[in-house]
Amino acid sequence: PTRWQATGSVLARRMLDRAQVVMRHLRSVRQVEEVNSVPGLYARSIGRLQAPDRWANATYVVRPSAPPQLEDELVAIGGRQWTRAPGGRWQLQPQGGTLPFRTPTLFTWSSYAEAVRLIDVQHRRGHVTATLALMDPGTPAWWTLHVDLATDRVLDARLITSGHFISTRYSQFNSAQPILMPTGPRG
């Protein structure tokens, strides 16, 4: 059970704004995201960012009771992107059609926060965390974020929107593995 207190909305907005700024200024972070839109099947993406303009990602299809199956991998450095299929070679993708990756583009929760509520403050995994609820009626989208109040970092986020659910966990703050340019033909 949760009780919403109207006086917590201003504080919740400040927590969200600060967390978003902190996340955008990380040197690196690891992100594990699970997307579910079909019963019995979901996608898992394991990604890393390295400021200011590097992103690496591997996407898997997961069917419970079977091991995850690698679908593809991607490395983006600024405006250049490389992809490869399982067992394949890295392929440099033609430029155009997408904007260059920049760290701030990954953390845009305030875009979906017409309403922000402080749901709870609790001790969680050795940290004092705030649970924030965000709502955007236009999309529609409902977010739940857990923010570590000592560091202002988002530990995890859950999005519920039409047709799918997305759960994201963040770790290795400022210590994720570096992202290197792929090597080999066309790398």
Side-chain angles (χ1 to χ4, degrees):
T2 300
R3 283 188 231 155
W4 169 68
Q5 297 178 7
T7 57
S9 295
V10 172
L11 178 59
R13 174 67 67 175
R14 273 190 255 142
M15 289 176 176
L16 172 64
D17 291 344
R18 179 71 187 141
Q20 189 166 272
V21 166
V22 166
M23 296 295 285
R24 287 179 171 181
H25 285 92
L26 291 171
R27 292 184 311 275
S28 66
V29 68
R30 181 175 190 259
Q31 169 184 301
V32 177
E33 184 173 84
E34 293 181 350
V35 179
N36 183 332
S37 57
V38 178
L41 176 74
Y42 63 94
R44 177 180 294 145
S45 295
I46 301 172
R48 302 182 323 273
L49 78 72
Q50 181 181 342
D53 64 355
R54 293 176 181 236
W55 173 252
N57 192 67
T59 303
Y60 300 82
V61 172
V62 181
R63 292 172 181 82
S65 78
Q69 180 180 350
L70 179 64
E71 286 289 303
D72 60 32
E73 295 176 277
L74 171 126
V75 171
I77 300 175
R80 299 175 73 190
Q81 291 187 3
W82 296 263
T83 60
R84 74 173 168 186
R89 293 184 169 173
W90 287 106
Q91 299 293 317
L92 179 61
Q93 299 302 302
Q95 288 189 317
T98 61
L99 294 173
F101 174 78
R102 301 289 297 169
T103 305
T105 64
L106 194 60
F107 306 111
T108 58
W109 298 293
S110 62
S111 302
Y112 302 98
E114 183 173 308
V116 182
R117 302 292 185 255
L118 176 60
I119 301 300
D120 195 16
V121 175
Q122 62 183 346
H123 291 278
R124 188 169 174 254
R125 295 185 211 143
H127 302 276
V128 178
T129 60
T131 302
L132 304 181
L134 288 56
M135 188 272 301
D136 172 35
T139 303
W142 294 268
W143 284 93
T144 304
L145 304 179
H146 291 106
V147 179
D148 181 327
L149 295 180
T151 62
D152 293 318
R153 295 175 180 157
V154 175
L155 303 175
D156 58 71
R158 174 125 169 110
L159 169 64
I160 299 173
T161 190
S162 182
H164 63 275
F165 307 93
I166 301 174
S167 296
T168 309
R169 292 181 315 276
Y170 301 99
S171 63
Q172 298 177 3
F173 300 100
N174 294 324
S175 64
Q177 290 182 329
I179 298 168
L180 306 174
M181 185 181 321
T183 58
R186 304 184 79 196

